[in-house]
Amino acid sequence: MDDNKKIAKRNKLRLFFLNLGKLILDVTKLSFASLVLGTIIKGDVPQSTLLVAGIIASGVGAALGVILVTIFEEK
């Protein structure tokens, strides 16, 4: 019975990280839309700063999200 609890806990942890990866990818999409595309429209913050921050946030978030989803996806 103890082994079943360990397997269930491992599955819950795998599912948590899978969903965390998906959440990070969604946040990345939103940050790209708001920071990068918002820069094109107009903003009060200097456009170059906002554009660079948006590109960095999108790149890091996309990489982290894809890594988590790849590692913890259901097999």
Side-chain angles (χ1 to χ4, degrees):
M1 193 67 140
D2 193 35
D3 288 337
N4 288 338
K5 287 182 182 180
K6 287 181 182 179
I7 291 171
K9 186 175 181 180
R10 217 176 309 148
N11 286 339
K12 285 182 182 180
L13 191 62
R14 166 181 249 144
L15 184 60
F16 170 76
F17 281 111
L18 175 66
N19 289 327
L20 180 64
K22 290 179 181 179
L23 176 67
I24 290 172
L25 286 175
D26 288 342
V27 169
T28 298
K29 293 174 198 174
L30 291 172
S31 71
F32 176 78
S34 64
L35 296 173
V36 176
L37 298 178
T39 300
I40 295 170
I41 295 172
K42 190 174 181 180
D44 295 337
V45 179
Q47 288 185 348
S48 60
T49 303
L50 198 56
L51 183 63
V52 169
I55 290 171
I56 291 172
S58 297
V60 169
L64 184 60
V66 168
I67 289 169
L68 286 174
V69 169
T70 303
I71 290 172
F72 295 103
E73 74 182 338
E74 298 294 325
K75 294 179 182 176

